[in-house]
Amino acid sequence: QGQLVESGGGSVQAGGSLKLSCQASKFTYSTCMAWFRQAPGKEREGVATIRSDGWTNYADSVKGRFTISRDNAANTLYLQMNSLKPEDTAMYYCALSSGASCSIIAFLSGNWGQGTQVTVSS
């Protein structure tokens, strides 16, 4: 797997939208991909996951507001975030699993980006 570079973070007011992008230098089609986030003083948590067959999974806190997608031809992962809330404030990381598995172990042994900051003000 290759290097990951996130972009698209920023500061918005509650109710606003942001779209995060994660450019990978290379990855295999079968790789499971995900977005994680970590707020100050909190543990890193999974936000959304997408498999190569299009299956997606979301944390309950973002269901109906966030959409994960991937463009395999462009080696890019996206996270569209709508109706943002102050509690969405965190550093957001994209991650590629070490294979087709979407387990946390596969992600921990995979590749991670440096993160992009999202700040939502009330």
Side-chain angles (χ1 to χ4, degrees), residues 12-70:
V12 295
Q13 290 190 328
S17 298
L18 285 173
K19 186 173 184 177
L20 306 183
S21 298
C22 174
Q23 178 72 51
S25 57
K26 63 177 180 178
F27 66 84
T28 59
Y29 172 76
S30 61
T31 300
C32 187
M33 309 174 75
W35 288 96
F36 290 77
R37 68 185 181 187
Q38 187 167 19
K42 295 187 177 181
E43 294 187 353
R44 191 170 298 189
E45 63 175 351
V47 176
T49 304
I50 185 167
R51 276 189 332 214
S52 60
D53 62 1
W55 172 88
T56 58
N57 189 53
Y58 296 91
D60 288 342
S61 59
V62 307
K63 281 181 181 177
R65 299 187 298 120
F66 290 11
T67 302
I68 189 171
S69 61
R70 58 192 285 173

